[in-house]
PDB file of all heavy atoms in Angstrom:
ATOM      1  N   GLU A 756    -116.752 -49.284  20.617  1.00 97.00           N
ATOM      2  CA  GLU A 756    -117.303 -49.593  19.300  1.00 97.00           C
ATOM      3  C   GLU A 756    -116.180 -49.803  18.296  1.00 97.00           C
ATOM      4  O   GLU A 756    -115.099 -49.227  18.422  1.00 97.00           O
ATOM      5  CB  GLU A 756    -118.211 -48.464  18.791  1.00 97.00           C
ATOM      6  CG  GLU A 756    -119.382 -48.127  19.687  1.00 97.00           C
ATOM      7  CD  GLU A 756    -119.109 -46.932  20.568  1.00 97.00           C
ATOM      8  OE1 GLU A 756    -117.930 -46.681  20.894  1.00 97.00           O
ATOM      9  OE2 GLU A 756    -120.075 -46.242  20.938  1.00 97.00           O
ATOM     10  N   SER A 757    -116.472 -50.594  17.282  1.00 97.00           N
ATOM     11  CA  SER A 757    -115.548 -50.778  16.178  1.00 97.00           C
ATOM     12  C   SER A 757    -116.339 -51.177  14.940  1.00 97.00           C
ATOM     13  O   SER A 757    -117.508 -51.545  15.034  1.00 97.00           O
ATOM     14  CB  SER A 757    -114.486 -51.827  16.504  1.00 97.00           C
ATOM     15  OG  SER A 757    -115.076 -53.094  16.740  1.00 97.00           O
ATOM     16  N   GLY A 758    -115.703 -51.109  13.794  1.00 97.00           N
ATOM     17  CA  GLY A 758    -116.310 -51.579  12.562  1.00 97.00           C
ATOM     18  C   GLY A 758    -116.789 -50.504  11.616  1.00 97.00           C
ATOM     19  O   GLY A 758    -117.248 -50.817  10.509  1.00 97.00           O
ATOM     20  N   GLY A 759    -116.708 -49.247  12.016  1.00 98.00           N
ATOM     21  CA  GLY A 759    -117.127 -48.178  11.137  1.00 98.00           C
ATOM     22  C   GLY A 759    -116.181 -48.012   9.967  1.00 98.00           C
ATOM     23  O   GLY A 759    -115.084 -48.559   9.940  1.00 98.00           O
ATOM     24  N   GLY A 760    -116.630 -47.240   8.981  1.00 98.00           N
ATOM     25  CA  GLY A 760    -115.808 -47.003   7.807  1.00 98.00           C
ATOM     26  C   GLY A 760    -116.596 -46.356   6.699  1.00 98.00           C
ATOM     27  O   GLY A 760    -117.701 -45.853   6.907  1.00 98.00           O
ATOM     28  N   LEU A 761    -116.016 -46.372   5.518  1.00 98.00           N
ATOM     29  CA  LEU A 761    -116.619 -45.795   4.319  1.00 98.00           C
ATOM     30  C   LEU A 761    -117.166 -46.906   3.444  1.00 98.00           C
ATOM     31  O   LEU A 761    -116.471 -47.886   3.156  1.00 98.00           O
ATOM     32  CB  LEU A 761    -115.577 -44.984   3.548  1.00 98.00           C
ATOM     33  CG  LEU A 761    -115.989 -44.400   2.209  1.00 98.00           C
ATOM     34  CD1 LEU A 761    -117.101 -43.372   2.394  1.00 98.00           C
ATOM     35  CD2 LEU A 761    -114.780 -43.777   1.528  1.00 98.00           C
ATOM     36  N   VAL A 762    -118.413 -46.751   3.026  1.00 98.00           N
ATOM     37  CA  VAL A 762    -119.060 -47.761   2.197  1.00 98.00           C
ATOM     38  C   VAL A 762    -119.953 -47.064   1.171  1.00 98.00           C
ATOM     39  O   VAL A 762    -120.476 -45.976   1.422  1.00 98.00           O
ATOM     40  CB  VAL A 762    -119.870 -48.748   3.071  1.00 98.00           C
ATOM     41  CG1 VAL A 762    -121.022 -48.033   3.777  1.00 98.00           C
ATOM     42  CG2 VAL A 762    -120.375 -49.923   2.251  1.00 98.00           C
ATOM     43  N   GLN A 763    -120.122 -47.676   0.022  1.00 98.00           N
ATOM     44  CA  GLN A 763    -121.007 -47.132  -1.005  1.00 98.00           C
ATOM     45  C   GLN A 763    -122.463 -47.405  -0.669  1.00 98.00           C
ATOM     46  O   GLN A 763    -122.789 -48.366   0.031  1.00 98.00           O
ATOM     47  CB  GLN A 763    -120.681 -47.733  -2.369  1.00 98.00           C
ATOM     48  CG  GLN A 763    -119.340 -47.314  -2.931  1.00 98.00           C
ATOM     49  CD  GLN A 763    -119.108 -47.839  -4.340  1.00 98.00           C
ATOM     50  OE1 GLN A 763    -119.725 -48.819  -4.757  1.00 98.00           O
ATOM     51  NE2 GLN A 763    -118.229 -47.191  -5.074  1.00 98.00           N
ATOM     52  N   ALA A 764    -123.341 -46.544  -1.164  1.00 98.00           N
ATOM     53  CA  ALA A 764    -124.775 -46.757  -0.988  1.00 98.00           C
ATOM     54  C   ALA A 764    -125.164 -48.143  -1.484  1.00 98.00           C
ATOM     55  O   ALA A 764    -124.712 -48.592  -2.540  1.00 98.00           O
ATOM     56  CB  ALA A 764    -125.562 -45.683  -1.722  1.00 98.00           C
ATOM     57  N   GLY A 765    -126.001 -48.811  -0.702  1.00 98.00           N
ATOM     58  CA  GLY A 765    -126.400 -50.169  -1.009  1.00 98.00           C
ATOM     59  C   GLY A 765    -125.539 -51.228  -0.373  1.00 98.00           C
ATOM     60  O   GLY A 765    -125.907 -52.411  -0.380  1.00 98.00           O
ATOM     61  N   GLY A 766    -124.418 -50.821   0.194  1.00 98.00           N
ATOM     62  CA  GLY A 766    -123.504 -51.760   0.812  1.00 98.00           C
ATOM     63  C   GLY A 766    -123.863 -52.074   2.253  1.00 98.00           C
ATOM     64  O   GLY A 766    -124.900 -51.645   2.763  1.00 98.00           O
ATOM     65  N   SER A 767    -122.974 -52.807   2.907  1.00 98.00           N
ATOM     66  CA  SER A 767    -123.214 -53.277   4.265  1.00 98.00           C
ATOM     67  C   SER A 767    -122.008 -53.045   5.155  1.00 98.00           C
ATOM     68  O   SER A 767    -120.867 -53.004   4.691  1.00 98.00           O
ATOM     69  CB  SER A 767    -123.534 -54.780   4.274  1.00 98.00           C
ATOM     70  OG  SER A 767    -124.699 -55.071   3.537  1.00 98.00           O
ATOM     71  N   LEU A 768    -122.271 -52.887   6.437  1.00 98.00           N
ATOM     72  CA  LEU A 768    -121.248 -52.818   7.469  1.00 98.00           C
ATOM     73  C   LEU A 768    -121.774 -53.518   8.707  1.00 98.00           C
ATOM     74  O   LEU A 768    -122.985 -53.544   8.938  1.00 98.00           O
ATOM     75  CB  LEU A 768    -120.899 -51.377   7.836  1.00 98.00           C
ATOM     76  CG  LEU A 768    -119.963 -50.576   6.937  1.00 98.00           C
ATOM     77  CD1 LEU A 768    -119.872 -49.147   7.456  1.00 98.00           C
ATOM     78  CD2 LEU A 768    -118.585 -51.211   6.879  1.00 98.00           C
ATOM     79  N   ARG A 769    -120.869 -54.052   9.508  1.00 98.00           N
ATOM     80  CA  ARG A 769    -121.235 -54.597  10.805  1.00 98.00           C
ATOM     81  C   ARG A 769    -120.427 -53.905  11.887  1.00 98.00           C
ATOM     82  O   ARG A 769    -119.193 -53.945  11.872  1.00 98.00           O
ATOM     83  CB  ARG A 769    -121.009 -56.107  10.885  1.00 98.00           C
ATOM     84  CG  ARG A 769    -121.580 -56.702  12.181  1.00 98.00           C
ATOM     85  CD  ARG A 769    -121.428 -58.202  12.275  1.00 98.00           C
ATOM     86  NE  ARG A 769    -120.061 -58.598  12.595  1.00 98.00           N
ATOM     87  CZ  ARG A 769    -119.731 -59.775  13.121  1.00 98.00           C
ATOM     88  NH1 ARG A 769    -120.667 -60.681  13.374  1.00 98.00           N
ATOM     89  NH2 ARG A 769    -118.457 -60.043  13.360  1.00 98.00           N
ATOM     90  N   LEU A 770    -121.127 -53.276  12.809  1.00 98.00           N
ATOM     91  CA  LEU A 770    -120.495 -52.625  13.943  1.00 98.00           C
ATOM     92  C   LEU A 770    -120.495 -53.560  15.145  1.00 98.00           C
ATOM     93  O   LEU A 770    -121.413 -54.364  15.321  1.00 98.00           O
ATOM     94  CB  LEU A 770    -121.229 -51.335  14.312  1.00 98.00           C
ATOM     95  CG  LEU A 770    -121.449 -50.313  13.199  1.00 98.00           C
ATOM     96  CD1 LEU A 770    -122.118 -49.065  13.767  1.00 98.00           C
ATOM     97  CD2 LEU A 770    -120.140 -49.973  12.508  1.00 98.00           C
ATOM     98  N   SER A 771    -119.466 -53.430  15.975  1.00 98.00           N
ATOM     99  CA  SER A 771    -119.370 -54.204  17.202  1.00 98.00           C
ATOM    100  C   SER A 771    -119.266 -53.266  18.388  1.00 98.00           C
ATOM    101  O   SER A 771    -118.723 -52.167  18.284  1.00 98.00           O
ATOM    102  CB  SER A 771    -118.140 -55.114  17.178  1.00 98.00           C
ATOM    103  OG  SER A 771    -118.217 -56.050  16.127  1.00 98.00           O
ATOM    104  N   CYS A 772    -119.778 -53.707  19.520  1.00 97.00           N
ATOM    105  CA  CYS A 772    -119.672 -52.967  20.771  1.00 97.00           C
ATOM    106  C   CYS A 772    -119.283 -53.949  21.855  1.00 97.00           C
ATOM    107  O   CYS A 772    -120.097 -54.783  22.265  1.00 97.00           O
ATOM    108  CB  CYS A 772    -120.991 -52.279  21.109  1.00 97.00           C
ATOM    109  SG  CYS A 772    -121.008 -51.467  22.725  1.00 97.00           S
ATOM    110  N   ALA A 773    -118.041 -53.859  22.312  1.00 96.00           N
ATOM    111  CA  ALA A 773    -117.526 -54.748  23.343  1.00 96.00           C
ATOM    112  C   ALA A 773    -117.642 -54.087  24.702  1.00 96.00           C
ATOM    113  O   ALA A 773    -117.202 -52.949  24.880  1.00 96.00           O
ATOM    114  CB  ALA A 773    -116.080 -55.112  23.051  1.00 96.00           C
ATOM    115  N   ALA A 774    -118.218 -54.798  25.666  1.00 94.00           N
ATOM    116  CA  ALA A 774    -118.440 -54.274  27.002  1.00 94.00           C
ATOM    117  C   ALA A 774    -117.528 -54.949  28.007  1.00 94.00           C
ATOM    118  O   ALA A 774    -117.245 -56.144  27.909  1.00 94.00           O
ATOM    119  CB  ALA A 774    -119.896 -54.464  27.422  1.00 94.00           C
ATOM    120  N   SER A 775    -117.086 -54.179  28.982  1.00 92.00           N
ATOM    121  CA  SER A 775    -116.310 -54.715  30.091  1.00 92.00           C
ATOM    122  C   SER A 775    -116.720 -54.000  31.370  1.00 92.00           C
ATOM    123  O   SER A 775    -117.398 -52.975  31.335  1.00 92.00           O
ATOM    124  CB  SER A 775    -114.811 -54.568  29.843  1.00 92.00           C
ATOM    125  OG  SER A 775    -114.455 -53.203  29.711  1.00 92.00           O
ATOM    126  N   GLY A 776    -116.308 -54.545  32.514  1.00 87.00           N
ATOM    127  CA  GLY A 776    -116.686 -53.975  33.788  1.00 87.00           C
ATOM    128  C   GLY A 776    -117.904 -54.679  34.368  1.00 87.00           C
ATOM    129  O   GLY A 776    -118.083 -55.877  34.170  1.00 87.00           O
ATOM    130  N   ARG A 777    -118.769 -53.926  35.055  1.00 76.00           N
ATOM    131  CA  ARG A 777    -119.937 -54.493  35.726  1.00 76.00           C
ATOM    132  C   ARG A 777    -121.082 -54.702  34.744  1.00 76.00           C
ATOM    133  O   ARG A 777    -121.966 -53.861  34.604  1.00 76.00           O
ATOM    134  CB  ARG A 777    -120.380 -53.592  36.877  1.00 76.00           C
ATOM    135  CG  ARG A 777    -119.376 -53.520  38.012  1.00 76.00           C
ATOM    136  CD  ARG A 777    -119.923 -52.718  39.171  1.00 76.00           C
ATOM    137  NE  ARG A 777    -119.010 -52.705  40.308  1.00 76.00           N
ATOM    138  CZ  ARG A 777    -119.258 -52.123  41.460  1.00 76.00           C
ATOM    139  NH1 ARG A 777    -120.405 -51.480  41.639  1.00 76.00           N
ATOM    140  NH2 ARG A 777    -118.359 -52.165  42.434  1.00 76.00           N
ATOM    141  N   THR A 778    -121.056 -55.838  34.081  1.00 73.00           N
ATOM    142  CA  THR A 778    -122.075 -56.157  33.089  1.00 73.00           C
ATOM    143  C   THR A 778    -123.151 -57.101  33.615  1.00 73.00           C
ATOM    144  O   THR A 778    -124.106 -57.394  32.896  1.00 73.00           O
ATOM    145  CB  THR A 778    -121.426 -56.781  31.847  1.00 73.00           C
ATOM    146  OG1 THR A 778    -120.760 -57.986  32.210  1.00 73.00           O
ATOM    147  CG2 THR A 778    -120.419 -55.823  31.233  1.00 73.00           C
ATOM    148  N   PHE A 779    -123.022 -57.563  34.852  1.00 69.00           N
ATOM    149  CA  PHE A 779    -123.931 -58.568  35.382  1.00 69.00           C
ATOM    150  C   PHE A 779    -125.346 -58.042  35.612  1.00 69.00           C
ATOM    151  O   PHE A 779    -126.294 -58.823  35.648  1.00 69.00           O
ATOM    152  CB  PHE A 779    -123.377 -59.168  36.679  1.00 69.00           C
ATOM    153  CG  PHE A 779    -123.080 -58.160  37.740  1.00 69.00           C
ATOM    154  CD1 PHE A 779    -124.061 -57.730  38.613  1.00 69.00           C
ATOM    155  CD2 PHE A 779    -121.798 -57.643  37.875  1.00 69.00           C
ATOM    156  CE1 PHE A 779    -123.779 -56.799  39.598  1.00 69.00           C
ATOM    157  CE2 PHE A 779    -121.505 -56.711  38.852  1.00 69.00           C
ATOM    158  CZ  PHE A 779    -122.508 -56.289  39.714  1.00 69.00           C
ATOM    159  N   SER A 780    -125.501 -56.753  35.783  1.00 72.00           N
ATOM    160  CA  SER A 780    -126.810 -56.158  36.039  1.00 72.00           C
ATOM    161  C   SER A 780    -127.414 -55.485  34.803  1.00 72.00           C
ATOM    162  O   SER A 780    -128.340 -54.689  34.921  1.00 72.00           O
ATOM    163  CB  SER A 780    -126.713 -55.146  37.181  1.00 72.00           C
ATOM    164  OG  SER A 780    -125.817 -54.092  36.848  1.00 72.00           O
TER     165      SER A 780
END
């Protein structure tokens, strides 16, 4: 995961989750 942080109420954030390995199933 990445993209976390500190933000004020009412604001926005976008988190990412990058996968590797056996993702075909």
Side-chain angles (χ1 to χ4, degrees):
E756 302 98 332
S757 62
L761 175 64
V762 64
Q763 292 185 338
S767 299
L768 281 175
R769 188 178 76 159
L770 307 183
S771 298
C772 174
S775 61
R777 294 185 176 182
T778 61
F779 56 86
S780 61

